[in-house]
Amino acid sequence: EDEERVAEIMKRRFFPALITHKPWEGFHFAGHEIRITESTDCYGAVVWPSALVLCYFLETNSKQYNLVDKNVIEIGAGTGLVSIVASLLGALVTATDLPELLGNLQHNVLQNTKLKCKHQPCVKELSWGIDLEKNFPRSSCHFDYIMAADVVYHHPFLDELLVTFDHLCENDTVILWAMKFRLDKENQFVGRFQILFDLEVISNFPSLNITLYKAMRKGRMKA
């Protein structure tokens, strides 16, 4: 069953028939052909399998997780695939990442959503743990969903990532997080995350070593 689902997800990806001067990958989600410009010079400019898993889930569970008119923020948006799919599904999306990734992120978001979405998504800088209240004040920033795909890997900012989740998440915010398990140090982040949030496995892909989680603040999952 796992291999069949993974095969179905990977079918959504296609490549250009001819070599182009800019490397790109194509994807079929939400009834659209999405073209993502990539770069091989940094982690954030490549589409990782966790993003495909999350996009597939959003599309195939659009009734249970109805994104129409919902405020969504994606952290570590990278190339923007998840933000683009959420936008095509009707959400009001804020796609965030580090300043050096915003140019490519903005390009991908714009070329794949302009005149195709109910709400035009916005792209905004978010360096985890830095100036959170200044840039995303709790008094005015409310998000129905926080989305994250493959934000836990070998980097020194896991503490800042947890602080960012904590700042952006209100009592009724739902976190949808696709996590690829790699090293013990990184995997321990899940335990730390559970100090603040209730965590539920909503899909599992053993062949990819990826788990898709739903999370909410402690005590809010069943409320």
Side-chain angles (χ1 to χ4, degrees):
E1 181 183 355
D2 169 54
E3 291 180 358
E4 289 177 1
R5 288 188 303 154
V6 169
E8 174 61 29
I9 292 171
M10 294 308 167
K11 282 181 184 176
R12 302 301 186 91
R13 167 187 268 159
F14 66 93
F15 298 92
L18 300 173
I19 296 176
T20 59
H21 70 285
K22 267 192 172 183
W24 62 270
E25 287 187 68
F27 303 89
H28 291 290
F29 285 111
H32 290 268
E33 180 181 292
I34 301 168
R35 293 192 177 194
I36 297 293
T37 300
E38 295 190 329
S39 172
T40 57
D41 58 357
C42 60
Y43 290 129
V46 177
V47 177
W48 298 99
S50 293
L52 273 69
V53 165
L54 183 48
C55 289
Y56 182 80
F57 178 84
L58 294 176
E59 180 188 75
T60 55
N61 293 272
S62 59
K63 290 185 178 179
Q64 183 179 359
Y65 294 87
N66 185 353
L67 299 183
V68 177
D69 298 330
K70 297 295 194 300
N71 283 316
V72 172
I73 185 169
E74 184 186 5
I75 62 175
T79 58
L81 181 61
V82 172
S83 289
I84 291 164
V85 172
S87 298
L88 293 171
L89 291 171
L92 181 57
V93 176
T94 303
T96 71
D97 215 312
L98 296 169
E100 58 267 28
L101 297 175
L102 295 187
N104 189 56
L105 176 58
Q106 179 71 64
H107 168 76
N108 285 328
V109 167
L110 188 61
Q111 79 164 357
N112 288 290
T113 62
K114 190 175 182 180
L115 303 179
K116 299 177 183 179
C117 298
K118 184 175 183 180
H119 307 286
Q120 184 61 38
C122 72
V123 171
K124 192 170 180 180
E125 176 185 343
L126 172 53
S127 299
W128 297 338
I130 298 175
D131 293 332
L132 294 175
E133 182 58 30
K134 175 184 176 183
N135 296 324
F136 299 90
R138 282 178 165 166
S139 60
S140 59
C141 289
H142 170 77
F143 298 106
D144 299 295
Y145 289 94
I146 299 170
M147 296 187 184
D150 222 356
V151 292
V152 178
Y153 52 89
H154 185 59
H155 63 71
F157 305 109
L158 294 178
D159 290 342
E160 291 82 355
L161 174 59
L162 188 58
V163 167
T164 301
F165 273 123
D166 184 41
H167 178 83
L168 296 174
C169 187
E170 298 185 48
N171 284 339
D172 58 348
T173 303
V174 174
I175 299 171
L176 295 176
W177 167 30
M179 162 82 170
K180 181 174 177 67
F181 286 83
R182 294 183 176 91
L183 304 174
D184 286 343
K185 179 183 177 182
E186 297 154 19
N187 299 346
Q188 290 169 7
F189 181 84
V190 175
R192 297 174 56 203
F193 185 88
Q194 288 179 288
I195 296 173
L196 298 175
F197 303 99
D198 288 321
L199 201 59
E200 174 187 343
V201 175
I202 53 177
S203 200
N204 202 20
F205 300 86
S207 63
L208 295 175
N209 219 19
I210 292 173
T211 299
L212 182 58
Y213 292 110
K214 171 186 175 182
M216 294 186 75
R217 282 207 172 277
K218 281 284 186 183
R220 300 297 301 184
M221 191 80 83
K222 297 178 182 179

